[in-house]
Amino acid sequence: MFVLVSYDVRDGRTEKFRKILCRYLMHEQNSVFCGLLSRPELRELEVCLKSNLTENDKILMLICENRLNVDVVRLGNDDESLCCQSKSVVL
């Protein structure tokens, strides 16, 4: 399934969450990660994230089970992409 995760935590704790998420997903930008995970991998990631949460930490997870219906759109002016790049995630 396709998973997109974003987090909002206090300064000094961002590195901890970045390291956890880098084990499972691709780092898209700042506190945003995405990729394909199996159900057991997703459960493992959720347990790991929950065990590291403290007061006022926030994590947003978007999960799409049907990978055939996911469009990922990147907008930006960086050297790696055109002004607008879109792709469907189909594996």
Side-chain angles (χ1 to χ4, degrees):
M1 61 190 68
F2 179 77
V3 179
L4 181 116
V5 178
S6 178
Y7 62 87
D8 182 14
V9 298
R10 287 181 297 133
D11 288 341
R13 293 182 42 75
T14 57
E15 186 65 18
K16 175 180 273 195
F17 284 92
R18 188 191 66 77
K19 285 182 179 180
I20 292 168
L21 289 163
C22 278
R23 283 187 254 152
Y24 296 90
L25 302 167
M26 290 177 17
H27 189 204
E28 283 294 323
Q29 65 182 39
N30 295 333
S31 61
V32 178
F33 294 77
C34 70
L36 298 173
L37 296 178
S38 65
R39 283 187 190 278
E41 289 170 326
L42 179 59
R43 280 192 295 274
E44 187 178 303
L45 174 59
E46 287 175 341
V47 167
C48 191
L49 290 173
K50 285 179 185 178
S51 70
N52 284 281
L53 286 176
T54 61
E55 189 175 339
N56 296 323
D57 287 345
K58 297 177 191 132
I59 296 177
L60 174 69
M61 297 180 77
L62 301 175
I63 301 164
C64 181
E65 293 203 33
N66 185 345
R67 296 176 290 184
L68 300 176
N69 293 327
V70 176
D71 287 329
V72 177
V73 178
R74 291 183 180 92
L75 303 173
N77 297 328
D78 60 359
D79 294 337
E80 296 178 9
S81 67
L82 301 172
C83 183
C84 176
Q85 178 184 5
S86 177
K87 71 175 183 178
S88 293
V89 177
V90 179
L91 293 176

PDB file of all heavy atoms in Angstrom, residues 2-37:
ATOM      1  N   PHE A   2       0.356   2.334  -0.545  1.00  0.00           N
ATOM      2  CA  PHE A   2       1.093   3.588  -0.610  1.00  0.00           C
ATOM      3  C   PHE A   2       0.855   4.359   0.685  1.00  0.00           C
ATOM      4  O   PHE A   2      -0.275   4.489   1.143  1.00  0.00           O
ATOM      5  CB  PHE A   2       0.628   4.425  -1.802  1.00  0.00           C
ATOM      6  CG  PHE A   2       1.338   5.735  -1.918  1.00  0.00           C
ATOM      7  CD1 PHE A   2       2.625   5.798  -2.423  1.00  0.00           C
ATOM      8  CD2 PHE A   2       0.727   6.903  -1.502  1.00  0.00           C
ATOM      9  CE1 PHE A   2       3.280   7.008  -2.518  1.00  0.00           C
ATOM     10  CE2 PHE A   2       1.377   8.119  -1.600  1.00  0.00           C
ATOM     11  CZ  PHE A   2       2.665   8.170  -2.112  1.00  0.00           C
ATOM     12  N   VAL A   3       1.946   4.855   1.280  1.00  0.00           N
ATOM     13  CA  VAL A   3       1.858   5.560   2.557  1.00  0.00           C
ATOM     14  C   VAL A   3       2.587   6.891   2.437  1.00  0.00           C
ATOM     15  O   VAL A   3       3.697   6.954   1.913  1.00  0.00           O
ATOM     16  CB  VAL A   3       2.495   4.727   3.694  1.00  0.00           C
ATOM     17  CG1 VAL A   3       2.425   5.459   5.014  1.00  0.00           C
ATOM     18  CG2 VAL A   3       1.846   3.369   3.791  1.00  0.00           C
ATOM     19  N   LEU A   4       1.942   7.949   2.928  1.00  0.00           N
ATOM     20  CA  LEU A   4       2.568   9.266   3.012  1.00  0.00           C
ATOM     21  C   LEU A   4       2.512   9.678   4.475  1.00  0.00           C
ATOM     22  O   LEU A   4       1.450   9.606   5.100  1.00  0.00           O
ATOM     23  CB  LEU A   4       1.820  10.280   2.152  1.00  0.00           C
ATOM     24  CG  LEU A   4       2.446  11.663   2.188  1.00  0.00           C
ATOM     25  CD1 LEU A   4       2.945  12.029   0.809  1.00  0.00           C
ATOM     26  CD2 LEU A   4       1.476  12.661   2.708  1.00  0.00           C
ATOM     27  N   VAL A   5       3.666  10.074   5.040  1.00  0.00           N
ATOM     28  CA  VAL A   5       3.742  10.429   6.451  1.00  0.00           C
ATOM     29  C   VAL A   5       4.366  11.810   6.581  1.00  0.00           C
ATOM     30  O   VAL A   5       5.375  12.109   5.937  1.00  0.00           O
ATOM     31  CB  VAL A   5       4.603   9.417   7.250  1.00  0.00           C
ATOM     32  CG1 VAL A   5       4.706   9.823   8.718  1.00  0.00           C
ATOM     33  CG2 VAL A   5       4.048   8.014   7.119  1.00  0.00           C
ATOM     34  N   SER A   6       3.758  12.627   7.435  1.00  0.00           N
ATOM     35  CA  SER A   6       4.307  13.938   7.770  1.00  0.00           C
ATOM     36  C   SER A   6       4.288  14.064   9.282  1.00  0.00           C
ATOM     37  O   SER A   6       3.364  13.593   9.939  1.00  0.00           O
ATOM     38  CB  SER A   6       3.459  15.036   7.128  1.00  0.00           C
ATOM     39  OG  SER A   6       3.966  16.303   7.480  1.00  0.00           O
ATOM     40  N   TYR A   7       5.309  14.705   9.843  1.00  0.00           N
ATOM     41  CA  TYR A   7       5.350  14.868  11.292  1.00  0.00           C
ATOM     42  C   TYR A   7       5.633  16.309  11.672  1.00  0.00           C
ATOM     43  O   TYR A   7       6.230  17.067  10.924  1.00  0.00           O
ATOM     44  CB  TYR A   7       6.378  13.931  11.940  1.00  0.00           C
ATOM     45  CG  TYR A   7       7.805  14.163  11.508  1.00  0.00           C
ATOM     46  CD1 TYR A   7       8.604  15.098  12.163  1.00  0.00           C
ATOM     47  CD2 TYR A   7       8.362  13.445  10.462  1.00  0.00           C
ATOM     48  CE1 TYR A   7       9.919  15.306  11.772  1.00  0.00           C
ATOM     49  CE2 TYR A   7       9.664  13.643  10.070  1.00  0.00           C
ATOM     50  CZ  TYR A   7      10.441  14.574  10.731  1.00  0.00           C
ATOM     51  OH  TYR A   7      11.737  14.792  10.343  1.00  0.00           O
ATOM     52  N   ASP A   8       5.173  16.679  12.863  1.00  0.00           N
ATOM     53  CA  ASP A   8       5.406  17.990  13.440  1.00  0.00           C
ATOM     54  C   ASP A   8       5.795  17.763  14.894  1.00  0.00           C
ATOM     55  O   ASP A   8       4.943  17.436  15.724  1.00  0.00           O
ATOM     56  CB  ASP A   8       4.140  18.849  13.329  1.00  0.00           C
ATOM     57  CG  ASP A   8       4.328  20.256  13.872  1.00  0.00           C
ATOM     58  OD1 ASP A   8       5.485  20.672  14.094  1.00  0.00           O
ATOM     59  OD2 ASP A   8       3.304  20.934  14.088  1.00  0.00           O
ATOM     60  N   VAL A   9       7.088  17.885  15.180  1.00  0.00           N
ATOM     61  CA  VAL A   9       7.595  17.652  16.534  1.00  0.00           C
ATOM     62  C   VAL A   9       8.509  18.814  16.923  1.00  0.00           C
ATOM     63  O   VAL A   9       8.929  19.602  16.082  1.00  0.00           O
ATOM     64  CB  VAL A   9       8.361  16.311  16.634  1.00  0.00           C
ATOM     65  CG1 VAL A   9       7.440  15.141  16.329  1.00  0.00           C
ATOM     66  CG2 VAL A   9       9.561  16.285  15.719  1.00  0.00           C
ATOM     67  N   ARG A  10       8.804  18.912  18.212  1.00  0.00           N
ATOM     68  CA  ARG A  10       9.680  19.974  18.710  1.00  0.00           C
ATOM     69  C   ARG A  10      11.065  19.879  18.080  1.00  0.00           C
ATOM     70  O   ARG A  10      11.526  18.798  17.716  1.00  0.00           O
ATOM     71  CB  ARG A  10       9.848  19.866  20.225  1.00  0.00           C
ATOM     72  CG  ARG A  10       8.647  20.270  21.022  1.00  0.00           C
ATOM     73  CD  ARG A  10       8.918  20.157  22.507  1.00  0.00           C
ATOM     74  NE  ARG A  10       9.179  18.750  22.834  1.00  0.00           N
ATOM     75  CZ  ARG A  10      10.187  18.318  23.585  1.00  0.00           C
ATOM     76  NH1 ARG A  10      11.018  19.149  24.129  1.00  0.00           N
ATOM     77  NH2 ARG A  10      10.353  17.038  23.816  1.00  0.00           N
ATOM     78  N   ASP A  11      11.727  21.021  17.975  1.00  0.00           N
ATOM     79  CA  ASP A  11      13.126  21.038  17.530  1.00  0.00           C
ATOM     80  C   ASP A  11      13.933  20.133  18.449  1.00  0.00           C
ATOM     81  O   ASP A  11      13.672  20.051  19.640  1.00  0.00           O
ATOM     82  CB  ASP A  11      13.698  22.457  17.593  1.00  0.00           C
ATOM     83  CG  ASP A  11      13.142  23.352  16.507  1.00  0.00           C
ATOM     84  OD1 ASP A  11      12.612  22.820  15.517  1.00  0.00           O
ATOM     85  OD2 ASP A  11      13.242  24.582  16.655  1.00  0.00           O
ATOM     86  N   GLY A  12      14.896  19.473  17.897  1.00  0.00           N
ATOM     87  CA  GLY A  12      15.704  18.546  18.673  1.00  0.00           C
ATOM     88  C   GLY A  12      15.173  17.125  18.623  1.00  0.00           C
ATOM     89  O   GLY A  12      15.895  16.186  18.949  1.00  0.00           O
ATOM     90  N   ARG A  13      13.925  16.950  18.205  1.00  0.00           N
ATOM     91  CA  ARG A  13      13.344  15.613  18.092  1.00  0.00           C
ATOM     92  C   ARG A  13      13.133  15.210  16.634  1.00  0.00           C
ATOM     93  O   ARG A  13      12.805  14.081  16.342  1.00  0.00           O
ATOM     94  CB  ARG A  13      12.007  15.555  18.844  1.00  0.00           C
ATOM     95  CG  ARG A  13      12.177  15.706  20.344  1.00  0.00           C
ATOM     96  CD  ARG A  13      10.890  15.615  21.111  1.00  0.00           C
ATOM     97  NE  ARG A  13       9.965  14.591  20.698  1.00  0.00           N
ATOM     98  CZ  ARG A  13      10.084  13.278  20.940  1.00  0.00           C
ATOM     99  NH1 ARG A  13      11.128  12.826  21.585  1.00  0.00           N
ATOM    100  NH2 ARG A  13       9.159  12.437  20.537  1.00  0.00           N
ATOM    101  N   THR A  14      13.327  16.143  15.736  1.00  0.00           N
ATOM    102  CA  THR A  14      13.068  15.850  14.322  1.00  0.00           C
ATOM    103  C   THR A  14      14.009  14.771  13.789  1.00  0.00           C
ATOM    104  O   THR A  14      13.593  13.942  12.990  1.00  0.00           O
ATOM    105  CB  THR A  14      13.191  17.115  13.456  1.00  0.00           C
ATOM    106  OG1 THR A  14      14.493  17.680  13.619  1.00  0.00           O
ATOM    107  CG2 THR A  14      12.139  18.136  13.817  1.00  0.00           C
ATOM    108  N   GLU A  15      15.246  14.779  14.223  1.00  0.00           N
ATOM    109  CA  GLU A  15      16.223  13.796  13.733  1.00  0.00           C
ATOM    110  C   GLU A  15      15.810  12.371  14.101  1.00  0.00           C
ATOM    111  O   GLU A  15      15.982  11.446  13.309  1.00  0.00           O
ATOM    112  CB  GLU A  15      17.612  14.117  14.283  1.00  0.00           C
ATOM    113  CG  GLU A  15      18.703  13.245  13.721  1.00  0.00           C
ATOM    114  CD  GLU A  15      18.939  13.438  12.229  1.00  0.00           C
ATOM    115  OE1 GLU A  15      18.517  14.454  11.666  1.00  0.00           O
ATOM    116  OE2 GLU A  15      19.580  12.553  11.625  1.00  0.00           O
ATOM    117  N   LYS A  16      15.245  12.200  15.278  1.00  0.00           N
ATOM    118  CA  LYS A  16      14.804  10.875  15.725  1.00  0.00           C
ATOM    119  C   LYS A  16      13.724  10.330  14.776  1.00  0.00           C
ATOM    120  O   LYS A  16      13.790   9.188  14.326  1.00  0.00           O
ATOM    121  CB  LYS A  16      14.243  10.950  17.138  1.00  0.00           C
ATOM    122  CG  LYS A  16      13.656   9.643  17.636  1.00  0.00           C
ATOM    123  CD  LYS A  16      13.129   9.777  19.033  1.00  0.00           C
ATOM    124  CE  LYS A  16      14.286   9.502  19.951  1.00  0.00           C
ATOM    125  NZ  LYS A  16      13.918   9.240  21.322  1.00  0.00           N
ATOM    126  N   PHE A  17      12.730  11.167  14.440  1.00  0.00           N
ATOM    127  CA  PHE A  17      11.656  10.731  13.555  1.00  0.00           C
ATOM    128  C   PHE A  17      12.148  10.562  12.121  1.00  0.00           C
ATOM    129  O   PHE A  17      11.715   9.660  11.417  1.00  0.00           O
ATOM    130  CB  PHE A  17      10.468  11.703  13.638  1.00  0.00           C
ATOM    131  CG  PHE A  17       9.683  11.517  14.893  1.00  0.00           C
ATOM    132  CD1 PHE A  17       9.977  12.258  16.029  1.00  0.00           C
ATOM    133  CD2 PHE A  17       8.666  10.586  14.958  1.00  0.00           C
ATOM    134  CE1 PHE A  17       9.268  12.071  17.195  1.00  0.00           C
ATOM    135  CE2 PHE A  17       7.943  10.391  16.124  1.00  0.00           C
ATOM    136  CZ  PHE A  17       8.257  11.134  17.246  1.00  0.00           C
ATOM    137  N   ARG A  18      13.063  11.414  11.692  1.00  0.00           N
ATOM    138  CA  ARG A  18      13.625  11.278  10.351  1.00  0.00           C
ATOM    139  C   ARG A  18      14.331   9.929  10.202  1.00  0.00           C
ATOM    140  O   ARG A  18      14.142   9.228   9.208  1.00  0.00           O
ATOM    141  CB  ARG A  18      14.594  12.419  10.045  1.00  0.00           C
ATOM    142  CG  ARG A  18      15.065  12.424   8.589  1.00  0.00           C
ATOM    143  CD  ARG A  18      16.217  13.375   8.363  1.00  0.00           C
ATOM    144  NE  ARG A  18      17.421  12.953   9.062  1.00  0.00           N
ATOM    145  CZ  ARG A  18      18.226  11.967   8.650  1.00  0.00           C
ATOM    146  NH1 ARG A  18      17.950  11.293   7.557  1.00  0.00           N
ATOM    147  NH2 ARG A  18      19.306  11.647   9.332  1.00  0.00           N
ATOM    148  N   LYS A  19      15.096   9.545  11.203  1.00  0.00           N
ATOM    149  CA  LYS A  19      15.811   8.262  11.142  1.00  0.00           C
ATOM    150  C   LYS A  19      14.844   7.079  11.103  1.00  0.00           C
ATOM    151  O   LYS A  19      15.057   6.119  10.360  1.00  0.00           O
ATOM    152  CB  LYS A  19      16.756   8.122  12.334  1.00  0.00           C
ATOM    153  CG  LYS A  19      17.999   8.960  12.202  1.00  0.00           C
ATOM    154  CD  LYS A  19      18.917   8.751  13.389  1.00  0.00           C
ATOM    155  CE  LYS A  19      20.172   9.584  13.247  1.00  0.00           C
ATOM    156  NZ  LYS A  19      21.083   9.408  14.386  1.00  0.00           N
ATOM    157  N   ILE A  20      13.801   7.132  11.903  1.00  0.00           N
ATOM    158  CA  ILE A  20      12.809   6.054  11.911  1.00  0.00           C
ATOM    159  C   ILE A  20      12.158   5.932  10.542  1.00  0.00           C
ATOM    160  O   ILE A  20      12.080   4.852   9.953  1.00  0.00           O
ATOM    161  CB  ILE A  20      11.732   6.302  12.988  1.00  0.00           C
ATOM    162  CG1 ILE A  20      12.335   6.177  14.382  1.00  0.00           C
ATOM    163  CG2 ILE A  20      10.554   5.337  12.809  1.00  0.00           C
ATOM    164  CD1 ILE A  20      11.423   6.678  15.494  1.00  0.00           C
ATOM    165  N   LEU A  21      11.691   7.059  10.011  1.00  0.00           N
ATOM    166  CA  LEU A  21      10.965   7.040   8.738  1.00  0.00           C
ATOM    167  C   LEU A  21      11.862   6.684   7.564  1.00  0.00           C
ATOM    168  O   LEU A  21      11.410   6.050   6.609  1.00  0.00           O
ATOM    169  CB  LEU A  21      10.265   8.380   8.519  1.00  0.00           C
ATOM    170  CG  LEU A  21       9.074   8.591   9.460  1.00  0.00           C
ATOM    171  CD1 LEU A  21       8.672  10.041   9.519  1.00  0.00           C
ATOM    172  CD2 LEU A  21       7.910   7.715   9.042  1.00  0.00           C
ATOM    173  N   CYS A  22      13.135   7.052   7.620  1.00  0.00           N
ATOM    174  CA  CYS A  22      14.063   6.703   6.532  1.00  0.00           C
ATOM    175  C   CYS A  22      14.268   5.197   6.412  1.00  0.00           C
ATOM    176  O   CYS A  22      14.645   4.698   5.356  1.00  0.00           O
ATOM    177  CB  CYS A  22      15.408   7.398   6.728  1.00  0.00           C
ATOM    178  SG  CYS A  22      15.425   9.102   6.155  1.00  0.00           S
ATOM    179  N   ARG A  23      14.030   4.456   7.495  1.00  0.00           N
ATOM    180  CA  ARG A  23      14.153   2.992   7.441  1.00  0.00           C
ATOM    181  C   ARG A  23      13.046   2.363   6.598  1.00  0.00           C
ATOM    182  O   ARG A  23      13.207   1.259   6.093  1.00  0.00           O
ATOM    183  CB  ARG A  23      14.094   2.397   8.845  1.00  0.00           C
ATOM    184  CG  ARG A  23      15.367   2.567   9.618  1.00  0.00           C
ATOM    185  CD  ARG A  23      15.282   1.812  10.920  1.00  0.00           C
ATOM    186  NE  ARG A  23      15.109   2.795  11.982  1.00  0.00           N
ATOM    187  CZ  ARG A  23      14.487   2.573  13.123  1.00  0.00           C
ATOM    188  NH1 ARG A  23      13.962   1.394  13.384  1.00  0.00           N
ATOM    189  NH2 ARG A  23      14.387   3.517  14.019  1.00  0.00           N
ATOM    190  N   TYR A  24      11.916   3.046   6.480  1.00  0.00           N
ATOM    191  CA  TYR A  24      10.749   2.472   5.818  1.00  0.00           C
ATOM    192  C   TYR A  24      10.348   3.170   4.522  1.00  0.00           C
ATOM    193  O   TYR A  24       9.806   2.530   3.627  1.00  0.00           O
ATOM    194  CB  TYR A  24       9.540   2.529   6.775  1.00  0.00           C
ATOM    195  CG  TYR A  24       9.699   1.705   8.011  1.00  0.00           C
ATOM    196  CD1 TYR A  24      10.265   2.242   9.160  1.00  0.00           C
ATOM    197  CD2 TYR A  24       9.305   0.375   8.034  1.00  0.00           C
ATOM    198  CE1 TYR A  24      10.411   1.493  10.306  1.00  0.00           C
ATOM    199  CE2 TYR A  24       9.449  -0.392   9.179  1.00  0.00           C
ATOM    200  CZ  TYR A  24      10.009   0.168  10.315  1.00  0.00           C
ATOM    201  OH  TYR A  24      10.161  -0.588  11.437  1.00  0.00           O
ATOM    202  N   LEU A  25      10.585   4.484   4.436  1.00  0.00           N
ATOM    203  CA  LEU A  25      10.039   5.280   3.340  1.00  0.00           C
ATOM    204  C   LEU A  25      11.109   6.185   2.728  1.00  0.00           C
ATOM    205  O   LEU A  25      12.199   6.332   3.273  1.00  0.00           O
ATOM    206  CB  LEU A  25       8.886   6.148   3.862  1.00  0.00           C
ATOM    207  CG  LEU A  25       7.728   5.389   4.514  1.00  0.00           C
ATOM    208  CD1 LEU A  25       6.821   6.356   5.268  1.00  0.00           C
ATOM    209  CD2 LEU A  25       6.946   4.610   3.471  1.00  0.00           C
ATOM    210  N   MET A  26      10.766   6.789   1.605  1.00  0.00           N
ATOM    211  CA  MET A  26      11.668   7.734   0.947  1.00  0.00           C
ATOM    212  C   MET A  26      11.421   9.130   1.506  1.00  0.00           C
ATOM    213  O   MET A  26      10.278   9.539   1.709  1.00  0.00           O
ATOM    214  CB  MET A  26      11.424   7.744  -0.564  1.00  0.00           C
ATOM    215  CG  MET A  26      11.864   6.478  -1.243  1.00  0.00           C
ATOM    216  SD  MET A  26      11.522   6.407  -3.028  1.00  0.00           S
ATOM    217  CE  MET A  26      11.219   8.052  -3.517  1.00  0.00           C
ATOM    218  N   HIS A  27      12.502   9.862   1.715  1.00  0.00           N
ATOM    219  CA  HIS A  27      12.413  11.227   2.230  1.00  0.00           C
ATOM    220  C   HIS A  27      12.087  12.159   1.068  1.00  0.00           C
ATOM    221  O   HIS A  27      12.868  12.301   0.145  1.00  0.00           O
ATOM    222  CB  HIS A  27      13.751  11.612   2.866  1.00  0.00           C
ATOM    223  CG  HIS A  27      13.725  12.893   3.598  1.00  0.00           C
ATOM    224  ND1 HIS A  27      14.852  13.620   3.817  1.00  0.00           N
ATOM    225  CD2 HIS A  27      12.713  13.586   4.174  1.00  0.00           C
ATOM    226  CE1 HIS A  27      14.549  14.707   4.498  1.00  0.00           C
ATOM    227  NE2 HIS A  27      13.248  14.708   4.721  1.00  0.00           N
ATOM    228  N   GLU A  28      10.917  12.778   1.100  1.00  0.00           N
ATOM    229  CA  GLU A  28      10.479  13.662   0.022  1.00  0.00           C
ATOM    230  C   GLU A  28      10.935  15.090   0.258  1.00  0.00           C
ATOM    231  O   GLU A  28      11.510  15.708  -0.620  1.00  0.00           O
ATOM    232  CB  GLU A  28       8.952  13.624  -0.127  1.00  0.00           C
ATOM    233  CG  GLU A  28       8.451  12.387  -0.823  1.00  0.00           C
ATOM    234  CD  GLU A  28       8.877  12.301  -2.273  1.00  0.00           C
ATOM    235  OE1 GLU A  28       8.932  13.327  -2.965  1.00  0.00           O
ATOM    236  OE2 GLU A  28       9.161  11.187  -2.709  1.00  0.00           O
ATOM    237  N   GLN A  29      10.621  15.631   1.415  1.00  0.00           N
ATOM    238  CA  GLN A  29      11.036  16.992   1.756  1.00  0.00           C
ATOM    239  C   GLN A  29      10.809  17.211   3.243  1.00  0.00           C
ATOM    240  O   GLN A  29       9.857  16.708   3.816  1.00  0.00           O
ATOM    241  CB  GLN A  29      10.292  18.035   0.943  1.00  0.00           C
ATOM    242  CG  GLN A  29       8.799  18.091   1.212  1.00  0.00           C
ATOM    243  CD  GLN A  29       8.103  19.109   0.343  1.00  0.00           C
ATOM    244  OE1 GLN A  29       8.437  19.251  -0.817  1.00  0.00           O
ATOM    245  NE2 GLN A  29       7.141  19.796   0.908  1.00  0.00           N
ATOM    246  N   ASN A  30      11.694  17.964   3.864  1.00  0.00           N
ATOM    247  CA  ASN A  30      11.616  18.292   5.287  1.00  0.00           C
ATOM    248  C   ASN A  30      11.012  17.150   6.100  1.00  0.00           C
ATOM    249  O   ASN A  30      11.661  16.143   6.310  1.00  0.00           O
ATOM    250  CB  ASN A  30      10.863  19.597   5.502  1.00  0.00           C
ATOM    251  CG  ASN A  30      11.606  20.770   4.895  1.00  0.00           C
ATOM    252  OD1 ASN A  30      12.811  20.746   4.774  1.00  0.00           O
ATOM    253  ND2 ASN A  30      10.888  21.785   4.509  1.00  0.00           N
ATOM    254  N   SER A  31       9.806  17.265   6.554  1.00  0.00           N
ATOM    255  CA  SER A  31       9.210  16.232   7.413  1.00  0.00           C
ATOM    256  C   SER A  31       8.174  15.394   6.671  1.00  0.00           C
ATOM    257  O   SER A  31       7.210  14.922   7.260  1.00  0.00           O
ATOM    258  CB  SER A  31       8.569  16.889   8.637  1.00  0.00           C
ATOM    259  OG  SER A  31       7.537  17.772   8.229  1.00  0.00           O
ATOM    260  N   VAL A  32       8.389  15.164   5.382  1.00  0.00           N
ATOM    261  CA  VAL A  32       7.448  14.396   4.565  1.00  0.00           C
ATOM    262  C   VAL A  32       8.156  13.178   3.969  1.00  0.00           C
ATOM    263  O   VAL A  32       9.227  13.302   3.362  1.00  0.00           O
ATOM    264  CB  VAL A  32       6.842  15.256   3.432  1.00  0.00           C
ATOM    265  CG1 VAL A  32       5.903  14.434   2.574  1.00  0.00           C
ATOM    266  CG2 VAL A  32       6.143  16.478   4.007  1.00  0.00           C
ATOM    267  N   PHE A  33       7.534  12.006   4.143  1.00  0.00           N
ATOM    268  CA  PHE A  33       8.082  10.748   3.652  1.00  0.00           C
ATOM    269  C   PHE A  33       6.970   9.977   2.947  1.00  0.00           C
ATOM    270  O   PHE A  33       5.804  10.090   3.316  1.00  0.00           O
ATOM    271  CB  PHE A  33       8.594   9.898   4.819  1.00  0.00           C
ATOM    272  CG  PHE A  33       9.768  10.499   5.520  1.00  0.00           C
ATOM    273  CD1 PHE A  33       9.605  11.548   6.410  1.00  0.00           C
ATOM    274  CD2 PHE A  33      11.039  10.034   5.286  1.00  0.00           C
ATOM    275  CE1 PHE A  33      10.677  12.114   7.054  1.00  0.00           C
ATOM    276  CE2 PHE A  33      12.133  10.600   5.920  1.00  0.00           C
ATOM    277  CZ  PHE A  33      11.951  11.637   6.807  1.00  0.00           C
ATOM    278  N   CYS A  34       7.342   9.186   1.928  1.00  0.00           N
ATOM    279  CA  CYS A  34       6.331   8.367   1.268  1.00  0.00           C
ATOM    280  C   CYS A  34       6.967   7.128   0.666  1.00  0.00           C
ATOM    281  O   CYS A  34       8.174   7.056   0.485  1.00  0.00           O
ATOM    282  CB  CYS A  34       5.570   9.158   0.209  1.00  0.00           C
ATOM    283  SG  CYS A  34       6.539   9.576  -1.233  1.00  0.00           S
ATOM    284  N   GLY A  35       6.123   6.144   0.359  1.00  0.00           N
ATOM    285  CA  GLY A  35       6.594   4.921  -0.261  1.00  0.00           C
ATOM    286  C   GLY A  35       5.576   3.810  -0.140  1.00  0.00           C
ATOM    287  O   GLY A  35       4.457   4.016   0.329  1.00  0.00           O
ATOM    288  N   LEU A  36       5.988   2.632  -0.582  1.00  0.00           N
ATOM    289  CA  LEU A  36       5.131   1.453  -0.552  1.00  0.00           C
ATOM    290  C   LEU A  36       5.539   0.548   0.610  1.00  0.00           C
ATOM    291  O   LEU A  36       6.715   0.243   0.779  1.00  0.00           O
ATOM    292  CB  LEU A  36       5.248   0.695  -1.876  1.00  0.00           C
ATOM    293  CG  LEU A  36       4.810   1.468  -3.113  1.00  0.00           C
ATOM    294  CD1 LEU A  36       5.129   0.683  -4.370  1.00  0.00           C
ATOM    295  CD2 LEU A  36       3.327   1.779  -3.038  1.00  0.00           C
ATOM    296  N   LEU A  37       4.547   0.128   1.389  1.00  0.00           N
ATOM    297  CA  LEU A  37       4.784  -0.755   2.528  1.00  0.00           C
ATOM    298  C   LEU A  37       3.790  -1.901   2.513  1.00  0.00           C
ATOM    299  O   LEU A  37       2.649  -1.743   2.078  1.00  0.00           O
ATOM    300  CB  LEU A  37       4.612   0.002   3.849  1.00  0.00           C
ATOM    301  CG  LEU A  37       5.575   1.133   4.161  1.00  0.00           C
ATOM    302  CD1 LEU A  37       5.196   1.780   5.490  1.00  0.00           C
ATOM    303  CD2 LEU A  37       6.997   0.640   4.203  1.00  0.00           C
TER     304      LEU A  37
END
